[in-house]
Amino acid sequence: QVQLVESGGGSVQAGGSLRLSCTLSTDTYGTYCMAWFRQAPGKEREGVATIYTGSGGHTAYADSVKGRFTISQDNAKNTMYLQMDSLKPVDTAMYYCAARRGYSRSGCDLFEYRYNSWGQGTQVTVSS
């Protein structure tokens, strides 16, 4: 029903940038909450950023990435992006794209249980 394909991960030095992409394929291109989560070894998965694709729009970020990461979407391409600037070693993690159809603007948050479709993840490694 919903497939999420991620790309853009890699290895960069501290202070560098990466842009992650997530393309959504589905038979129902309605309103979605889409988000990026990340998980470092030995740690729980945590929300990074979310975006509401419906009218009015909405984005939210984890405090740890505010001012450095920017989430965006290209509806024509059914693709979501995470622009990551000023990367730090603590950003090293597997980054996952997630989506949930039918949520309202207020429902787009960074609680993992909101999302029922997940990509396979793309690794981001930031060296010092």
Side-chain angles (χ1 to χ4, degrees):
Q1 292 293 317
V2 176
Q3 291 183 321
L4 300 172
V5 180
E6 302 152 335
S7 63
S11 298
V12 298
Q13 289 186 314
S17 298
L18 287 171
R19 189 180 75 161
L20 307 183
S21 299
C22 174
T23 298
L24 182 150
S25 299
T26 182
D27 292 333
T28 306
Y29 290 99
T31 299
Y32 283 82
C33 290
M34 299 187 71
W36 291 98
F37 288 76
R38 66 186 182 186
Q39 187 170 24
K43 297 184 178 180
E44 294 185 2
R45 189 177 299 175
E46 63 175 346
V48 177
T50 185
I51 187 166
Y52 174 62
T53 69
S55 179
H58 173 72
T59 60
Y61 299 88
D63 288 341
S64 60
V65 305
K66 286 182 179 178
R68 300 189 298 119
F69 291 10
T70 304
I71 190 170
S72 62
Q73 63 174 312
D74 184 339
N75 286 335
K77 297 181 179 180
N78 300 313
T79 300
M80 176 182 65
Y81 304 96
L82 185 68
Q83 178 66 43
M84 304 185 294
D85 298 320
S86 301
L87 283 162
K88 304 175 181 179
V90 295
D91 297 318
T92 295
M94 184 73 73
Y95 283 71
Y96 298 91
C97 176
R100 173 63 183 260
R101 181 176 179 268
Y103 270 74
S104 66
R105 178 179 181 274
S106 61
C108 291
D109 54 28
L110 293 174
F111 291 106
E112 184 175 347
Y113 73 84
R114 301 284 194 193
Y115 302 91
N116 59 6
S117 298
W118 295 83
Q120 293 297 309
T122 184
Q123 179 68 39
V124 172
T125 302
V126 184
S127 62
S128 60

